[in-house]
Amino acid sequence: EIWYKDVMLLLPANILVPAFWGAFDPLIAKHLHMSLGITDSETTGALMAIPAYPASVLNAVVAAVMARLRPDTIVLFGLLVLVTAELGLALTDPGSAAGLYPAPGTPEQWTWQVAILLLCGMGASFTWGPPMPDMM
């Protein structure tokens, strides 16, 4: 029986996170091209792989944190990290109406984009880690 309170509380996050990645993947390549001024697919692919590193490394951290905090607290933290990353993407987009972005291709823009991609991986780890033992 997996339909108990903790799983039901985490279910919305398990729906939102794939929706995030479903929207993120098709758009991030264009965003990186516009923001960083890169045109080659090798660099774009390498940048798009950045979220996998913190997501993999932080799985051990999430397991340790789960011994101290409730799973819904950890998932909420992960969702907040993902929202922060999305906000960063919006504010650093050259097509953004906010106009708060660094100039395309500058070191500042590269720093922002790598930091945002790292946040995406962190958020994914904290949102997907807690429900996994219950969903297996």
Side-chain angles (χ1 to χ4, degrees), residues 71-126:
D72 55 341
T73 304
I74 299 167
V75 169
L76 178 61
F77 173 74
L79 289 173
L80 290 173
V81 171
L82 284 175
V83 166
T84 302
E86 285 290 324
L87 181 61
L89 283 172
L91 293 176
T92 60
D93 187 10
S96 172
L100 299 174
Y101 56 90
T106 60
E108 293 85 9
Q109 186 67 280
W110 275 86
T111 302
W112 274 107
Q113 298 312 309
V114 170
I116 289 166
L117 292 168
L118 289 169
L119 281 175
C120 288
M122 290 172 59
S125 182
F126 282 102

Side-chain angles (χ1 to χ4, degrees), residues 28-103:
I28 192 64
K30 182 178 179 185
H31 173 80
L32 291 172
H33 285 236
M34 289 174 30
S35 300
L36 302 177
I38 55 175
T39 56
D40 63 296
S41 58
E42 292 84 8
T43 305
T44 304
L47 289 168
M48 288 177 67
I50 288 175
Y53 295 105
S56 299
V57 171
L58 286 175
N59 282 332
V61 173
V62 170
V65 171
M66 284 177 58
R68 295 192 172 99
L69 296 175
R70 291 177 30 160
D72 55 341
T73 304
I74 299 167
V75 169
L76 178 61
F77 173 74
L79 289 173
L80 290 173
V81 171
L82 284 175
V83 166
T84 302
E86 285 290 324
L87 181 61
L89 283 172
L91 293 176
T92 60
D93 187 10
S96 172
L100 299 174
Y101 56 90

Side-chain angles (χ1 to χ4, degrees), residues 2-13:
I2 66 165
W3 300 109
Y4 55 93
K5 184 180 171 189
D6 285 345
V7 171
M8 294 307 290
L9 286 172
L10 300 177
L11 192 60

